[in-house]
Each structure stands twice: as C-alpha cells, then as structure tokens.
Amino acid sequence: MQIFMHKNAMQMHARELQRGLGGEVKPHQCQQCLKSFSSNHQLVQHIRVHTGEKPYKCSYCDRRFKQLSHVQQHTRLHTGERPYKCHLPDCGRAFIQLSNLQQHLRNHDAQVERAKNRPFHCNICGKGFATESSLRTHTAKELQLHLGVLQQHAALMIGGATATPCPICHKVVFGGEALVEHMKNTHKDPNASGVASPPATSPYPAQAKPIDPYIAKRRTANHPCPVCGKHYVNEGSLRKHLACHPETQLTSGLRMWPCSVCQAVFTHESGLLSHMEHMRMEPKHQFAAQYVLSRAAAERRERDILAAVSASAGGSGLLNLAPPSPAHSDSSSNGRLSSSAGSEAGAAVNKLTDLLRSANNGHQAYGDERVAAIAAAAANMMAQPGEGANAVQVAAANLVSAMRQQLAREPPPAQPPAETPPAPSEAALRIQQAEALLRSQAEALRLAVSQAAAAHNTEAASPLRHNGGFPPQPPNDASGQLSPELVEAFRIAQEQRLEQALRLHDPRMLGFNLPSPVQQAAQQAAQQAAQQAVAAQQAAAAQQAAQQAAQQVAAQQAAQAAQQAAQAAQQAQQQHMQQQAAQAAQAAQAAQQAAQQAVHLQQNPQP
DNA sequence: CTGGGGAGGGGGCCC
DNA sequence: GGGGCCCCCTCCCCA
C-alpha cells in the first residue's frame, strides 16, 4: 500500500511538474472557466460539468452520468460485483471502487496505530483506552448500555439454532414451520418451504428473479436488521450494523463461531480456537483469546469429569432417571422416571415431565432431557431426609415452583378458537423461554447450595461446597454420592455460566487466575457474586418462613402473603428496583409454593 | 464528534 | 479524436 501511495504521489507530482514547466501544450480552453485541456475530448467531457449533460444511462435504472466509466462503476451496484478485496487476514472485505479499498487499508493501519496507543480494552464492547483509569471510567459509565446489548444477545440466544431469518424481509421466526407460515401469510408465497436457502454467494436471497440491490436501496430503507428490527437504506449500512449482532451468523440452523474482536467467522469451533491461538499476542485479541481458549479447556475438563461421575454413580441415584445425555435417552423412557422410583418425588417429576410435554405442543424432543433432569434433581433434593427444610430444599422447591408457574402459564387472554391452535413458533418460543428461566433457576439453586454448605460448614455437607456447586470428582463413599440428575442440573448451571463468560469475555465468571491489571475487577465481581449469594439466602429464608407459616396456619393466609408479595414485586419493578423486585418475586414464588403445599397437605394428610 | 464505508464525480492517461 | 480506464477527491450516511 505504501508503494501504491508513493507511486500515485509521484505520478501526480510528475504531472504538476510537466504542466508547471510548460512541457505540455493545452490548446483546448473552456470558455466558461478558462481551464485548458490537452485534447478536445477532455474539453468536451469537462464542458458537461457546466451544461449538466449526462449522455450515459444506466441499463439497470434511470440514473444518468457524464462519463461512461461512471456508468460502469455504478453498474457494479446492481450486479453486486466487488472486485477490490482486502488481502489482510481475517478481513476479506470487498469494495466496488479501488479508492474505497485503499481508504480501507489506510484505516487498517490507523487501527493498528490506535491499538498501540490504547492497550486497555473493554472486555464487553472491545473499545480501547490509553489508561487503565479511563477504562475503569468507561466500565462504570457504560455498564447499563452493555447490559442492554447482552440482554439483546441473550434474547436471540434463547432462540438458538431454531431462530431463522426470513430470506425476503429478514424477520426472525422460530422453527421451519413458522417460516413456512410467515412466507405464506406475509409474502403470499404458496410454494414456501421451511428449508433454509442454500448458502448464498451473494448477500441477496436467491430468487427466480433476483432483486436488484441498488433498486431496492433507491426505493426505500428496506434493509431491516433481523435482530433489532431497525431499517437501513442500503446493504452496507445494515452489514455494518450487523457487526454488533454476532449471533446473526446463526442462520439456517448452522452454528457459526464468530470472533467478537475482528468479526472473523468460522464454521467450526476448532477454527475459532486456532484463530485465537494465533492472535493471542495481538493486543485487541489478547483478552478474548485468553477467555475463549480457557473456556474450551474448561469444557474439555467438564466432559471428562462428567464421564467419570456418570461411570461411578450411574444407576445408584435416588431417582432412577435415564441419563440426561441424548446418547442415552430413547423414545420409550424419554426422560420419564421408571416405575421403580415409586416415591412422591418421582411422581412429581413425572408430572413435571408431562407438563413439559404438553406445553411443548408436540415438539417433544426439545430440551426434554435437560428440563426433566432439573426437575428430577429438584425433587430428589426435596425428598432427601434432613432436619427440616434447609436452603437447598427451599431452593429446590423454588425451582419446581418456577417450573410449574412457567409451564402453567396460559396464552394471552385473546385466545384463538380451539380449531386454530397457536402457531408452533409460539409454543416453541414459550418452551425456549421456559428453559431460559429454568437455567437461571438452576444457577440460583447452585448459589443456594454453596451458600448453605458454607454457612453450616458441616462435614456431611455436599461435596459441592468447595467448587461453586460443580462436582469435580466422584464421591469417595456411598453416603456422599450424587445422583446423575443432580450432576446434570449443576452441569447446566455451569454451562450457562460458561456461555455468559464466553459472551462477556469476562474471566471473572470463570474464576481463572487473572493477570494483575484485572484483579481488581475480579474482586468486584466476587463481591457481586457474594451479594447475590446473600440475596439468594435471604430469599430462601423468606421462602422457608412462608412455607412453615403456610403449613402451620392455613393455605388462605399463604395465598394472601403470595398476593402481597407479588404486589410488592410489581411495585418494585415499577420503581426499577430490580434487586428488590427479584427478592420479592422469589418470596412470592415461595409463598405460592407454600400455599400449594399446604393445599396438598390438606387434601392428602400424611401419616 | 469521530471513524469508516458507500457512492458520485472531475480529471488525466493509455490505446 | 475518442473510448475506455484509472486515480483521487469529496460528500453523505451510519454506528
């Protein structure tokens, strides 16, 4: 590039010299501006500047130009041809004009220079800062904005691989059937199929009559972002905008592995890992590389540990649930407890599984193993003998309550008639939301377990207490054995945490040893985690109290308490007091759960 | 406000 | 002489 620039500069300089020294005669002068040209052809071309004449017309649209070359350049807008490609690794951008590529290359150089001057990078948005203090200021100021972005990402992640953008309007629908419905209803396409379009070499959808991107752009701002819905007048603006939505790579059900630093995308995890390995010393990639590589290593360790735990504890769990791994589940068991379980907890799990299945509206394969495993784990803990209710049991009750509430949630009041059941996409979305909720509940459960273990500090406590709720090794004796369902529940919680850490590029969530510049941030994160644990404990205590009160007094009082707590939660939410709202909501949940249990006890008095 | 890409247009050179 | 191509500047829009 440097050579190129020098060449151009030298050419320009040579021309100026030639003119300045009078080496070239320019007999053709414009009568309006008195400019001189060496040929009549150039003069005629120039005069069009004054007359406004545009003799060259685009064959694709109505635009006209003064020079033929400008038509040719413009035509690339219609054909999509981008002959000037950036040769730099991990870029691959292409341009219609060479000058745009040259400017782009200059921007690359400028970026490298800025990266040198700004070595402190935000783990979330990637912005660079010259000093650590300015980075801290940014982190404190932009936290709300970051949270918004992360929530947006999380919303799409709930959709996961079933989130499919419409090839015409780019609206995101969930599932192939929903896409078919959307194509029929919105685009009047009777031949719509849910099959994703083949990988397009062009950024525009493959159709019998291709859409002219330039015409489309000139007509209206009809380039909607499939994630946030904002519209852009041209493809470039949308593509630029899409850089802030890495999850838009999740099209056609094919999982992609994007680098959040340089926007490079890989079709396999190994590609991303080798990319990070290669870029780990580059300043902008430094943090992201460390976390991505660490996450991959941690996941490998997890898989090994789980395999060891399953091998040693398999079949000896309190609940004889089929192992959660898809490889071990089949259509006959389908996550349902065997009849040998026979316990009340087993019945509860079976009921929950049925609820899941009915709410799933026929999509039985979706997440059955996971949610059934969580339910089994929760019921398992509830059924364990102990000295009264403890935090773990209460948290488990909370989990089950949340599942019941989520699964019993009715569709919106304006229900369609019975002959027109809700669209499969809605049902699938509800299930996905339910799973997201259950995952967060599993995380809360993990916190409650570790908090309870730390508080009581008993020797008989679960082996979870020293490692954040995740069982790292097989138990030593039969009394300390964990059921595979419980292992799965905690594995899911851990997996969720890892996903968050990956998306945040935040080492604090992984608990790794950190380099000194980020230790302070890690301490802050640890404090926040401790606060969360305290909040969980408080909520659990409130639940416990409500549960006991309901059992001792009456279901009516508990129901009243639940109503009051729900009102408090609503009030707190209105005041944007999210933490208080969460606690109140948990209390409400617990009270409701207590009410249900009290009713159950009244109806089924136990000996 | 700044950075970056898209796009239009003027002018020069080569064949 | 004219067509074709290239270089470069500039403005606009968007994040």
Short mmCIF file of all heavy atoms in Angstrom, two decimals, chain A residues 267-312:
data_model
loop_
_atom_site.label_atom_id
_atom_site.label_comp_id
_atom_site.label_asym_id
_atom_site.label_seq_id
_atom_site.Cartn_x
_atom_site.Cartn_y
_atom_site.Cartn_z
N THR A 267 -16.71 -21.85 10.78
CA THR A 267 -17.80 -22.83 10.76
C THR A 267 -17.60 -23.92 11.80
O THR A 267 -18.50 -24.70 12.04
CB THR A 267 -17.91 -23.47 9.37
OG1 THR A 267 -16.64 -24.01 9.02
CG2 THR A 267 -18.32 -22.44 8.34
N HIS A 268 -16.40 -24.00 12.37
CA HIS A 268 -16.16 -24.98 13.42
C HIS A 268 -15.45 -24.30 14.58
O HIS A 268 -14.70 -23.34 14.39
CB HIS A 268 -15.31 -26.13 12.89
CG HIS A 268 -16.00 -26.95 11.86
ND1 HIS A 268 -15.93 -26.63 10.52
CD2 HIS A 268 -16.81 -28.04 11.94
CE1 HIS A 268 -16.65 -27.50 9.83
NE2 HIS A 268 -17.18 -28.36 10.67
N GLU A 269 -15.67 -24.86 15.75
CA GLU A 269 -15.04 -24.30 16.94
C GLU A 269 -13.53 -24.36 16.80
O GLU A 269 -12.81 -23.46 17.25
CB GLU A 269 -15.49 -25.06 18.18
CG GLU A 269 -14.98 -24.41 19.45
CD GLU A 269 -15.35 -25.24 20.68
OE1 GLU A 269 -15.54 -26.44 20.55
OE2 GLU A 269 -15.44 -24.66 21.75
N SER A 270 -13.05 -25.41 16.16
CA SER A 270 -11.60 -25.55 16.05
C SER A 270 -11.01 -24.37 15.28
O SER A 270 -9.90 -23.92 15.58
CB SER A 270 -11.26 -26.86 15.36
OG SER A 270 -11.86 -26.91 14.08
N GLY A 271 -11.76 -23.88 14.31
CA GLY A 271 -11.28 -22.74 13.55
C GLY A 271 -11.15 -21.51 14.42
O GLY A 271 -10.14 -20.79 14.36
N LEU A 272 -12.15 -21.27 15.26
CA LEU A 272 -12.07 -20.12 16.16
C LEU A 272 -10.92 -20.28 17.14
O LEU A 272 -10.19 -19.34 17.44
CB LEU A 272 -13.40 -19.98 16.91
CG LEU A 272 -13.43 -18.87 17.96
CD1 LEU A 272 -13.21 -17.50 17.32
CD2 LEU A 272 -14.74 -18.88 18.72
N LEU A 273 -10.76 -21.52 17.64
CA LEU A 273 -9.70 -21.74 18.63
C LEU A 273 -8.32 -21.51 18.02
O LEU A 273 -7.44 -20.89 18.63
CB LEU A 273 -9.81 -23.16 19.19
CG LEU A 273 -11.06 -23.42 20.05
CD1 LEU A 273 -11.08 -24.86 20.51
CD2 LEU A 273 -11.10 -22.47 21.23
N SER A 274 -8.12 -22.01 16.80
CA SER A 274 -6.81 -21.81 16.20
C SER A 274 -6.60 -20.34 15.86
O SER A 274 -5.48 -19.81 15.96
CB SER A 274 -6.65 -22.68 14.95
OG SER A 274 -7.63 -22.34 14.00
N HIS A 275 -7.69 -19.66 15.49
CA HIS A 275 -7.59 -18.22 15.25
C HIS A 275 -7.16 -17.49 16.52
O HIS A 275 -6.26 -16.65 16.50
CB HIS A 275 -8.94 -17.71 14.76
CG HIS A 275 -9.08 -16.22 14.76
ND1 HIS A 275 -8.40 -15.39 13.88
CD2 HIS A 275 -9.80 -15.39 15.55
CE1 HIS A 275 -8.72 -14.13 14.11
NE2 HIS A 275 -9.57 -14.10 15.14
N MET A 276 -7.80 -17.85 17.63
CA MET A 276 -7.47 -17.20 18.90
C MET A 276 -6.03 -17.55 19.32
O MET A 276 -5.33 -16.72 19.89
CB MET A 276 -8.47 -17.63 19.97
CG MET A 276 -9.82 -16.97 19.80
SD MET A 276 -9.70 -15.15 19.86
CE MET A 276 -11.41 -14.70 20.01
N GLU A 277 -5.67 -18.79 19.06
CA GLU A 277 -4.31 -19.20 19.40
C GLU A 277 -3.30 -18.35 18.64
O GLU A 277 -2.29 -17.90 19.17
CB GLU A 277 -4.13 -20.69 19.03
CG GLU A 277 -2.82 -21.30 19.49
CD GLU A 277 -2.81 -21.51 20.99
OE1 GLU A 277 -3.85 -21.89 21.56
OE2 GLU A 277 -1.78 -21.25 21.59
N HIS A 278 -3.64 -18.12 17.38
CA HIS A 278 -2.74 -17.36 16.52
C HIS A 278 -2.70 -15.89 16.91
O HIS A 278 -1.67 -15.23 16.80
CB HIS A 278 -3.21 -17.50 15.07
CG HIS A 278 -2.32 -16.82 14.08
ND1 HIS A 278 -2.69 -15.70 13.40
CD2 HIS A 278 -1.06 -17.10 13.69
CE1 HIS A 278 -1.70 -15.32 12.62
NE2 HIS A 278 -0.70 -16.15 12.76
N MET A 279 -3.83 -15.38 17.40
CA MET A 279 -3.93 -13.94 17.66
C MET A 279 -3.75 -13.60 19.13
O MET A 279 -3.97 -12.45 19.51
CB MET A 279 -5.31 -13.44 17.19
CG MET A 279 -5.63 -13.70 15.74
SD MET A 279 -4.53 -12.83 14.63
CE MET A 279 -5.13 -11.16 14.79
N ARG A 280 -3.39 -14.57 19.94
CA ARG A 280 -3.43 -14.34 21.39
C ARG A 280 -2.45 -13.26 21.85
O ARG A 280 -2.63 -12.67 22.92
CB ARG A 280 -3.16 -15.63 22.14
CG ARG A 280 -1.78 -16.20 21.92
CD ARG A 280 -1.67 -17.58 22.50
NE ARG A 280 -2.10 -17.64 23.89
CZ ARG A 280 -2.26 -18.76 24.57
NH1 ARG A 280 -2.04 -19.91 23.97
NH2 ARG A 280 -2.63 -18.74 25.81
N MET A 281 -1.41 -12.99 21.05
CA MET A 281 -0.46 -11.96 21.44
C MET A 281 -0.82 -10.59 20.86
O MET A 281 -0.22 -9.59 21.23
CB MET A 281 0.96 -12.35 20.98
CG MET A 281 1.47 -13.64 21.57
SD MET A 281 1.29 -13.71 23.36
CE MET A 281 2.47 -12.45 23.84
N GLU A 282 -1.80 -10.57 19.99
CA GLU A 282 -2.20 -9.29 19.41
C GLU A 282 -3.03 -8.53 20.45
O GLU A 282 -3.90 -9.12 21.09
CB GLU A 282 -3.02 -9.56 18.14
CG GLU A 282 -3.20 -8.36 17.24
CD GLU A 282 -4.48 -7.62 17.57
OE1 GLU A 282 -5.43 -8.25 18.05
OE2 GLU A 282 -4.51 -6.40 17.35
N PRO A 283 -2.77 -7.23 20.63
CA PRO A 283 -3.39 -6.52 21.75
C PRO A 283 -4.91 -6.63 21.79
O PRO A 283 -5.49 -6.90 22.83
CB PRO A 283 -2.94 -5.08 21.52
CG PRO A 283 -1.67 -5.19 20.75
CD PRO A 283 -1.81 -6.40 19.89
N LYS A 284 -5.55 -6.43 20.64
CA LYS A 284 -7.01 -6.42 20.67
C LYS A 284 -7.60 -7.79 20.96
O LYS A 284 -8.68 -7.92 21.52
CB LYS A 284 -7.57 -5.90 19.34
CG LYS A 284 -7.46 -4.40 19.21
CD LYS A 284 -8.20 -3.90 18.01
CE LYS A 284 -9.68 -3.73 18.30
NZ LYS A 284 -10.38 -3.04 17.21
N HIS A 285 -6.87 -8.82 20.57
CA HIS A 285 -7.37 -10.18 20.77
C HIS A 285 -6.94 -10.77 22.11
O HIS A 285 -7.37 -11.87 22.45
CB HIS A 285 -6.88 -11.10 19.65
CG HIS A 285 -7.62 -10.92 18.36
ND1 HIS A 285 -7.40 -9.85 17.53
CD2 HIS A 285 -8.58 -11.68 17.76
CE1 HIS A 285 -8.19 -9.96 16.46
NE2 HIS A 285 -8.91 -11.06 16.58
N GLN A 286 -6.07 -10.06 22.81
CA GLN A 286 -5.40 -10.69 23.94
C GLN A 286 -6.39 -11.28 24.95
O GLN A 286 -6.33 -12.47 25.28
CB GLN A 286 -4.50 -9.66 24.62
CG GLN A 286 -3.49 -10.28 25.56
CD GLN A 286 -2.52 -9.22 26.07
OE1 GLN A 286 -2.68 -8.03 25.81
NE2 GLN A 286 -1.53 -9.64 26.80
N PHE A 287 -7.32 -10.43 25.39
CA PHE A 287 -8.25 -10.88 26.41
C PHE A 287 -9.20 -11.94 25.86
O PHE A 287 -9.40 -13.00 26.46
CB PHE A 287 -9.05 -9.70 26.96
CG PHE A 287 -8.24 -8.84 27.88
CD1 PHE A 287 -7.84 -7.59 27.50
CD2 PHE A 287 -7.86 -9.32 29.13
CE1 PHE A 287 -7.08 -6.80 28.34
CE2 PHE A 287 -7.10 -8.54 29.98
CZ PHE A 287 -6.71 -7.27 29.58
N ALA A 288 -9.77 -11.63 24.71
CA ALA A 288 -10.73 -12.58 24.13
C ALA A 288 -10.10 -13.94 23.91
O ALA A 288 -10.70 -14.98 24.20
CB ALA A 288 -11.28 -12.02 22.81
N ALA A 289 -8.85 -13.94 23.44
CA ALA A 289 -8.18 -15.22 23.18
C ALA A 289 -8.01 -16.00 24.46
O ALA A 289 -8.25 -17.22 24.51
CB ALA A 289 -6.83 -14.95 22.51
N GLN A 290 -7.62 -15.29 25.52
CA GLN A 290 -7.39 -15.98 26.79
C GLN A 290 -8.67 -16.66 27.27
O GLN A 290 -8.67 -17.82 27.68
CB GLN A 290 -6.90 -14.98 27.83
CG GLN A 290 -6.63 -15.65 29.18
CD GLN A 290 -6.23 -14.62 30.23
OE1 GLN A 290 -5.99 -13.46 29.92
NE2 GLN A 290 -6.16 -15.05 31.47
N TYR A 291 -9.79 -15.94 27.14
CA TYR A 291 -11.02 -16.48 27.70
C TYR A 291 -11.60 -17.59 26.82
O TYR A 291 -12.10 -18.59 27.34
CB TYR A 291 -12.04 -15.36 27.90
CG TYR A 291 -11.45 -14.23 28.65
CD1 TYR A 291 -11.71 -12.92 28.31
CD2 TYR A 291 -10.54 -14.47 29.70
CE1 TYR A 291 -11.12 -11.88 29.00
CE2 TYR A 291 -9.96 -13.43 30.38
CZ TYR A 291 -10.25 -12.13 30.03
OH TYR A 291 -9.67 -11.11 30.70
N VAL A 292 -11.50 -17.39 25.53
CA VAL A 292 -12.03 -18.43 24.64
C VAL A 292 -11.24 -19.72 24.80
O VAL A 292 -11.82 -20.81 24.93
CB VAL A 292 -12.00 -17.95 23.18
CG1 VAL A 292 -12.28 -19.09 22.23
CG2 VAL A 292 -13.03 -16.85 22.97
N LEU A 293 -9.93 -19.60 24.85
CA LEU A 293 -9.11 -20.79 24.99
C LEU A 293 -9.32 -21.43 26.36
O LEU A 293 -9.38 -22.66 26.49
CB LEU A 293 -7.64 -20.44 24.77
CG LEU A 293 -7.31 -19.99 23.34
CD1 LEU A 293 -5.89 -19.43 23.26
CD2 LEU A 293 -7.49 -21.13 22.36
N SER A 294 -9.43 -20.59 27.38
CA SER A 294 -9.66 -21.13 28.72
C SER A 294 -11.00 -21.83 28.81
O SER A 294 -11.15 -22.88 29.42
CB SER A 294 -9.61 -19.99 29.75
OG SER A 294 -8.37 -19.36 29.71
N ARG A 295 -12.01 -21.22 28.15
CA ARG A 295 -13.33 -21.82 28.18
C ARG A 295 -13.31 -23.20 27.53
O ARG A 295 -13.89 -24.16 28.04
CB ARG A 295 -14.33 -20.94 27.43
CG ARG A 295 -15.72 -21.53 27.36
CD ARG A 295 -16.54 -20.76 26.36
NE ARG A 295 -15.98 -20.85 25.03
CZ ARG A 295 -16.24 -21.84 24.19
NH1 ARG A 295 -17.06 -22.80 24.54
NH2 ARG A 295 -15.69 -21.87 23.00
N ALA A 296 -12.61 -23.29 26.41
CA ALA A 296 -12.55 -24.57 25.70
C ALA A 296 -11.88 -25.62 26.58
O ALA A 296 -12.34 -26.77 26.67
CB ALA A 296 -11.80 -24.39 24.39
N ALA A 297 -10.82 -25.22 27.26
CA ALA A 297 -10.13 -26.16 28.14
C ALA A 297 -11.04 -26.59 29.28
O ALA A 297 -11.10 -27.77 29.65
CB ALA A 297 -8.85 -25.51 28.67
N ALA A 298 -11.78 -25.61 29.84
CA ALA A 298 -12.68 -25.93 30.95
C ALA A 298 -13.78 -26.89 30.50
O ALA A 298 -14.15 -27.81 31.22
CB ALA A 298 -13.29 -24.64 31.49
N GLU A 299 -14.28 -26.67 29.29
CA GLU A 299 -15.34 -27.55 28.79
C GLU A 299 -14.81 -28.96 28.59
O GLU A 299 -15.52 -29.94 28.85
CB GLU A 299 -15.90 -27.00 27.49
CG GLU A 299 -16.83 -25.83 27.71
CD GLU A 299 -17.43 -25.33 26.41
OE1 GLU A 299 -16.89 -25.67 25.35
OE2 GLU A 299 -18.40 -24.60 26.48
N ARG A 300 -13.58 -29.05 28.13
CA ARG A 300 -12.99 -30.39 27.97
C ARG A 300 -12.90 -31.09 29.32
O ARG A 300 -13.24 -32.26 29.47
CB ARG A 300 -11.61 -30.27 27.33
CG ARG A 300 -11.65 -30.23 25.81
CD ARG A 300 -10.28 -30.54 25.25
NE ARG A 300 -9.24 -29.64 25.73
CZ ARG A 300 -8.97 -28.47 25.18
NH1 ARG A 300 -9.66 -28.06 24.15
NH2 ARG A 300 -8.01 -27.71 25.68
N ARG A 301 -12.43 -30.30 30.33
CA ARG A 301 -12.32 -30.88 31.67
C ARG A 301 -13.69 -31.35 32.16
O ARG A 301 -13.84 -32.43 32.75
CB ARG A 301 -11.72 -29.86 32.62
CG ARG A 301 -10.21 -29.71 32.48
CD ARG A 301 -9.63 -29.02 33.71
NE ARG A 301 -10.19 -27.69 33.88
CZ ARG A 301 -9.68 -26.60 33.32
NH1 ARG A 301 -8.61 -26.69 32.54
NH2 ARG A 301 -10.23 -25.42 33.51
N GLU A 302 -14.70 -30.48 31.93
CA GLU A 302 -16.05 -30.83 32.38
C GLU A 302 -16.52 -32.15 31.80
O GLU A 302 -17.08 -32.99 32.50
CB GLU A 302 -17.04 -29.75 31.93
CG GLU A 302 -17.18 -28.61 32.87
CD GLU A 302 -18.29 -27.73 32.37
OE1 GLU A 302 -19.44 -28.10 32.53
OE2 GLU A 302 -17.97 -26.71 31.78
N ARG A 303 -16.29 -32.29 30.49
CA ARG A 303 -16.75 -33.51 29.83
C ARG A 303 -16.08 -34.73 30.45
O ARG A 303 -16.73 -35.74 30.71
CB ARG A 303 -16.47 -33.42 28.34
CG ARG A 303 -17.47 -32.56 27.59
CD ARG A 303 -17.35 -32.77 26.09
NE ARG A 303 -16.12 -32.23 25.54
CZ ARG A 303 -16.00 -30.99 25.08
NH1 ARG A 303 -17.02 -30.16 25.14
NH2 ARG A 303 -14.85 -30.56 24.59
N ASP A 304 -14.78 -34.58 30.70
CA ASP A 304 -14.07 -35.72 31.30
C ASP A 304 -14.62 -36.04 32.67
O ASP A 304 -14.84 -37.20 33.04
CB ASP A 304 -12.57 -35.40 31.38
CG ASP A 304 -11.97 -35.25 29.99
OD1 ASP A 304 -12.60 -35.73 29.03
OD2 ASP A 304 -10.90 -34.64 29.87
N ILE A 305 -14.83 -34.98 33.48
CA ILE A 305 -15.31 -35.18 34.84
C ILE A 305 -16.69 -35.82 34.84
O ILE A 305 -16.97 -36.77 35.57
CB ILE A 305 -15.34 -33.83 35.59
CG1 ILE A 305 -13.91 -33.36 35.84
CG2 ILE A 305 -16.10 -33.96 36.89
CD1 ILE A 305 -13.82 -31.90 36.23
N LEU A 306 -17.56 -35.30 33.97
CA LEU A 306 -18.91 -35.84 33.91
C LEU A 306 -18.91 -37.30 33.53
O LEU A 306 -19.68 -38.10 34.06
CB LEU A 306 -19.74 -35.03 32.92
CG LEU A 306 -20.35 -33.77 33.49
CD1 LEU A 306 -20.99 -32.95 32.40
CD2 LEU A 306 -21.35 -34.12 34.57
N ALA A 307 -18.03 -37.61 32.61
CA ALA A 307 -17.95 -39.01 32.19
C ALA A 307 -17.54 -39.88 33.37
O ALA A 307 -18.10 -40.96 33.59
CB ALA A 307 -16.95 -39.14 31.04
N ALA A 308 -16.57 -39.37 34.16
CA ALA A 308 -16.11 -40.14 35.31
C ALA A 308 -17.22 -40.27 36.35
O ALA A 308 -17.45 -41.35 36.91
CB ALA A 308 -14.88 -39.46 35.91
N VAL A 309 -17.95 -39.15 36.60
CA VAL A 309 -19.01 -39.18 37.61
C VAL A 309 -20.12 -40.13 37.19
O VAL A 309 -20.62 -40.93 37.97
CB VAL A 309 -19.55 -37.76 37.83
CG1 VAL A 309 -20.81 -37.80 38.69
CG2 VAL A 309 -18.49 -36.91 38.51
N SER A 310 -20.50 -40.02 35.91
CA SER A 310 -21.58 -40.88 35.43
C SER A 310 -21.19 -42.35 35.55
O SER A 310 -22.01 -43.19 35.89
CB SER A 310 -21.91 -40.54 33.98
OG SER A 310 -22.34 -39.22 33.90
N ALA A 311 -19.93 -42.62 35.26
CA ALA A 311 -19.49 -44.00 35.30
C ALA A 311 -19.53 -44.56 36.72
O ALA A 311 -19.90 -45.71 36.93
CB ALA A 311 -18.07 -44.11 34.73
N SER A 312 -19.18 -43.70 37.69
CA SER A 312 -19.10 -44.20 39.06
C SER A 312 -20.44 -44.18 39.76
O SER A 312 -20.72 -45.03 40.59
CB SER A 312 -18.10 -43.37 39.85
OG SER A 312 -18.59 -42.06 40.00
#
